Amino acid sequence: MKCWFIVFIIISLNGFSQPKLTLGKEQLLFNGKNFDGWHQSYDNQGVERDLFSTKDGLIHAYATQTALSTQSFGGLITDKEYSNYVLTLEYKWGVKKFKPRDESVRDAGVLFHVFGNENIWPAGVECQIQEGDTGDLWIVKAQASTTVDPQNKNFDVNGLLVTAGTLSSEYNRFARSYYWEKEGWNKVVLVVKGDNAKFYINDHFVNEAIAMKKWDAKLNAWIPLTKGKILLQAEGSEVFYKNVLLQEIKE
């Protein structure tokens, strides 16, 4: 009886964390053949530019670059903006690393609600994809809140509400609740409703961005950040992406 009770509690908690949504038709953001609907942006640090390629239905970052060479960081960015949606994608690491991050853990990520200048890195909100930290919330040249455990400062759905992001602090991080990455392919799901976003890693609810905002210079005020482009990162580590799917959330 005790074992069944524990299983019931776990199922109940997992069910509680999953939002009940009315979704539209699923659409492929990446068609598996080419980058129609996407464009690329890079910094100026590397010796090559075409960092993203596609083969066999996969997006491959740093496919042809020589390991340990100096390479740019880059982003594969949607042409369109999106607002209310569920974004699903899968990723796995390759073996190659590149300077200047050749001695660091493998790093990538997905930015959403990207706005303004697209130079690397553009403003927006990021679900970190990084060895040991997948699911971290990064707030890039924007502002957002989340709830954290007062002891370890990691995400806690029942924790204290904390806000980060100012005009002088452009990069701010909130750690995920736990780390659920595994060997091989991993699934990332972002449930984005206007200025709120929930992060799921391999079906575990790990982080949340609450009341996302951007600075409006004309109004001299922070205003709700409710839409933007989606960006897949290449950040000095060979990485593969696939099954990049989007479903509209119907109000």
Side-chain angles (χ1 to χ4, degrees):
M1 292 295 292
K2 185 177 295 183
C3 291
W4 282 107
F5 179 75
I6 292 172
V7 171
F8 176 77
I9 292 295
I10 293 172
I11 291 173
S12 297
L13 288 174
N14 286 342
F16 175 77
S17 68
Q18 298 290 337
K20 295 180 180 180
L21 303 169
T22 302
L23 300 177
K25 184 179 179 181
E26 192 173 76
Q27 59 176 297
L28 286 168
L29 285 189
F30 167 60
N31 64 24
K33 300 176 181 179
N34 55 49
F35 292 134
D36 286 354
W38 298 78
H39 58 278
Q40 302 184 39
S41 178
Y42 306 96
D43 66 22
N44 297 313
Q45 303 305 309
V47 296
E48 301 179 49
R49 283 296 173 269
D50 250 347
L51 301 188
F52 293 92
S53 60
T54 177
K55 185 179 180 181
D56 298 329
L58 305 179
I59 296 170
H60 191 175
Y62 302 107
T64 61
Q65 283 72 15
T66 302
L68 303 182
S69 59
T70 299
Q71 297 296 335
S72 291
F73 294 166
L76 184 64
I77 310 171
T78 59
D79 295 338
K80 295 181 180 179
E81 293 185 332
Y82 300 91
S83 182
N84 298 307
Y85 57 86
V86 176
L87 175 69
T88 303
L89 62 87
E90 296 175 68
Y91 77 91
K92 73 172 181 179
W93 299 113
V95 297
K96 295 187 291 184
K97 291 184 177 182
F98 306 93
K99 296 179 180 180
R101 288 189 56 88
D102 54 305
E103 296 184 359
S104 302
V105 295
R106 290 175 173 84
D107 191 9
V110 52
L111 276 76
F112 58 98
H113 283 7
V114 172
F115 64 95
N117 192 318
E118 292 183 357
N119 290 344
I120 302 301
W121 292 112
V125 179
E126 177 184 351
C127 176
Q128 173 80 294
I129 295 174
Q130 179 175 275
E131 292 178 308
D133 297 307
T134 296
D136 282 4
L137 163 63
W138 276 94
I139 304 157
V140 183
K141 304 169 190 174
Q143 185 179 94
S145 303
T146 196
T147 51
V148 301
D149 184 302
Q151 300 300 318
N152 61 26
K153 307 303 181 183
N154 286 17
F155 172 73
D156 182 343
V157 68
N158 297 311
L160 300 176
L161 186 68
V162 179
T163 301
T166 66
L167 295 181
S168 61
S169 176
E170 294 187 337
Y171 295 88
N172 295 275
R173 168 180 172 263
F174 287 114
R176 76 267 155 243
S177 55
Y178 296 99
Y179 180 61
W180 296 102
E181 187 182 58
K182 60 186 180 182
E183 287 290 326
W185 288 103
N186 291 267
K187 182 171 71 172
V188 177
V189 177
L190 305 182
V191 180
V192 183
K193 292 187 68 178
D195 65 353
N196 179 276
K198 292 180 170 64
F199 298 178
Y200 296 83
I201 307 300
N202 292 323
D203 299 318
H204 297 278
F205 179 34
V206 300
N207 224 324
E208 183 174 15
I210 301 168
M212 296 180 286
K213 297 179 180 180
K214 64 179 181 179
W215 180 255
D216 188 310
K218 292 182 179 179
L219 296 177
N220 196 35
W222 292 96
I223 63 173
L225 175 58
T226 59
K227 65 179 181 179
K229 297 178 181 179
I230 296 168
L231 180 155
L232 302 180
Q233 286 185 328
E235 200 164 356
S237 300
E238 184 183 21
V239 63
F240 299 84
Y241 298 102
K242 70 175 182 179
N243 296 332
V244 185
L245 307 171
L246 185 141
Q247 284 181 281
E248 180 186 1
I249 298 174
K250 295 184 175 181
E251 297 297 334

